[in-house]
Amino acid sequence: MEEKKLESSSNNVWEFALRLLKAEYFRSVMLPLETKAPTTDQANALRSLLGLIRGRGTTTIPKRINLFTTNYDPLIERALDRYSASYNDGFVGREHPKFDSSAYSRLQYEQSLFMEYKAQVVTTNVIKPHGSLTWRRDGESVMYSNPSDTLQACLSGCEDIRTLSVLDDIRGLVMNDCDDSSLGDLEGQALRLSKEEKTLLTRFEEQYDSTLCIVNPTKKKFRETVLERYYYDLLRIYANELDRNNALLLVFGFSFADEHIRDLTVRAARSNPKLLIFVSCYKADDAGSYENLFTDCDNVILFVPKEGLRLGLDVFTRGLSCLSD
């Protein structure tokens, strides 16, 4: 009986430790996205991609860019809005937009009012397998939500989570590498929580889980079948795009930590000789992990900076600009 009590007590401590991490992530990473604008480099990168596709002369290939991202933020959409660019985020409808992955197969055309000439509009598919702050749960469906409304709904009834002082200490822990010492510190913080703090964290987690429609960065990704269905549906689109003839995949800021995306990409690199993959390495030391991942794949090219330098989005964008000019 005593062993069961100890085990139950230990599990309870780590439940609150995870709630602390979730609350800190929400406060420090998600909440600032309510008003955050895309950086100049982010906007310029998208503008260069649009120019690259706009200049394509062939009519046999759609003038379409597929942007796959595991980020939840709405910065891509905001950058595209800045240029009044046509994009598709998977939602269908105007008054009550509902997510439907079949929308990603649609193309747009412009036709002259007085002549029969028509031209395809450059369209960007914004595809988020891990969900987004623009996604809201509605039974078995996903509906569109303004990110501000989504974030404020998470805070409903638990606004004090923003000023919870223990989260300042948690912030310090997550900024460093995870080791036995930091895990011990996290456990200690969870053990010292007051009854009121525990109540607040529990209520916040309930709001967080019932409002957000995102894949949390854990091994056990899914707690319900709704999100799992959309996740694998979007991965199917990703796999199909990689299997196309003369497909080009540009990888920036992605480590392939998601095992499903990693496996699909490696399989495509090895099975589709017409696929070309460019991977941007932020640091020279990053090249080794990509080389190990894509062993014997001649169609994978790494962009590696010189030792001590960084290959940021500004450098990546200048390369795109050279192609689109």
Side-chain angles (χ1 to χ4, degrees):
M1 180 67 73
E2 284 300 319
E3 287 185 7
K4 285 187 178 179
K5 269 188 180 179
L6 287 172
E7 184 179 351
S8 175
S9 175
S10 176
N11 288 340
N12 186 257
V13 168
W14 283 105
E15 282 180 6
F16 280 101
L18 290 173
R19 287 168 186 163
L20 283 170
L21 291 174
K22 191 177 289 186
E24 159 53 24
Y25 182 73
F26 178 85
R27 189 184 73 160
S28 296
V29 178
M30 288 190 175
L31 266 182
L33 294 171
E34 185 172 9
T35 56
K36 190 173 182 62
T39 66
T40 300
D41 287 337
Q42 289 169 334
N44 287 342
L46 286 172
R47 183 176 61 180
S48 296
L49 281 172
L50 292 169
L52 187 62
I53 301 301
R54 190 177 292 113
R56 178 184 288 164
T58 179
T59 58
T60 59
I61 303 175
K63 289 190 175 184
R64 180 171 59 201
I65 307 168
N66 292 307
L67 291 179
F68 293 90
T69 177
T70 55
N71 293 343
Y72 315 131
D73 64 70
L75 296 181
I76 290 177
E77 295 94 315
R78 289 172 181 171
L80 290 168
D81 278 339
R82 179 179 295 182
Y83 297 117
S84 300
S86 176
Y87 70 90
N88 181 4
D89 58 3
F91 287 94
V92 178
R94 183 176 295 272
E95 195 164 332
H96 302 289
K98 179 179 178 181
F99 190 83
D100 184 352
S101 60
S102 66
Y104 289 122
S105 62
R106 297 175 181 174
L107 298 174
Q108 296 185 47
Y109 290 84
E110 290 180 340
Q111 183 170 348
S112 170
L113 292 175
F114 305 106
M115 303 179 68
E116 294 300 318
Y117 176 78
K118 66 178 181 179
Q120 189 179 140
V121 176
V122 176
T123 303
T124 302
N125 283 337
V126 182
I127 304 173
K128 299 182 175 182
H130 285 186
S132 174
L133 291 182
T134 63
W135 293 21
R136 284 284 294 273
R137 303 174 187 275
D138 185 15
E140 294 297 304
S141 301
V142 173
M143 307 300 291
Y144 177 83
S145 174
N146 182 285
S148 179
D149 294 339
T150 304
L151 293 167
Q152 291 305 314
C154 289
L155 289 171
S156 179
C158 44
E159 291 83 358
D160 290 344
I161 203 74
R162 290 176 296 186
T163 56
L164 190 61
S165 59
V166 65
L167 295 185
D168 295 331
D169 297 322
I170 300 300
R171 179 65 176 167
L173 288 177
V174 300
M175 293 299 290
N176 299 314
D177 293 335
C178 180
D179 53 27
D180 291 341
S181 175
S182 58
L183 287 174
D185 290 341
L186 175 60
E187 183 180 22
Q189 294 289 358
L191 283 168
R192 290 190 290 271
L193 289 171
S194 67
K195 183 179 179 180
E196 292 75 16
E197 290 172 330
K198 289 181 177 180
T199 299
L200 176 61
L201 285 165
T202 300
R203 187 164 64 244
F204 170 74
E205 185 179 51
E206 291 171 353
Q207 286 294 107
Y208 179 101
D209 290 340
S210 64
T211 301
L212 295 177
C213 203
I214 62 173
V215 177
N216 287 296
T218 61
K219 282 294 183 182
K220 188 177 179 183
K221 282 185 166 64
F222 307 108
R223 298 181 62 176
E224 70 284 313
T225 57
V226 175
L227 194 53
E228 184 175 10
R229 185 176 72 245
Y230 286 113
Y231 174 74
Y232 285 109
D233 200 18
L234 297 183
L235 286 193
R236 177 182 55 79
I237 295 175
Y238 177 70
N240 289 341
E241 291 299 323
L242 294 182
D243 284 338
R244 293 182 182 276
N245 282 332
N246 300 316
L248 172 63
L249 175 65
L250 300 177
V251 181
F252 183 87
F254 188 65
S255 64
F256 290 100
D258 184 298
E259 65 273 16
H260 297 115
I261 297 177
R262 179 180 65 237
D263 292 346
L264 286 173
T265 309
V266 173
R267 180 200 62 78
R270 291 175 177 167
S271 63
N272 182 6
K274 297 293 185 180
L275 168 66
L276 186 59
I277 301 177
F278 290 149
V279 180
S280 179
C281 303
Y282 182 61
K283 299 179 296 183
D285 293 344
D286 297 336
S289 61
Y290 290 118
E291 289 171 349
N292 292 333
L293 185 62
F294 295 104
T295 305
D296 299 326
C297 294
D298 295 334
N299 53 349
V300 178
I301 299 173
L302 303 183
F303 295 150
V304 185
K306 292 181 179 179
E307 195 68 39
L309 297 180
R310 300 289 184 266
L311 203 167
L313 190 56
D314 55 338
V315 179
F316 183 75
T317 300
R318 286 201 296 271
L320 289 175
S321 298
C322 293
L323 294 175
S324 59
D325 286 344

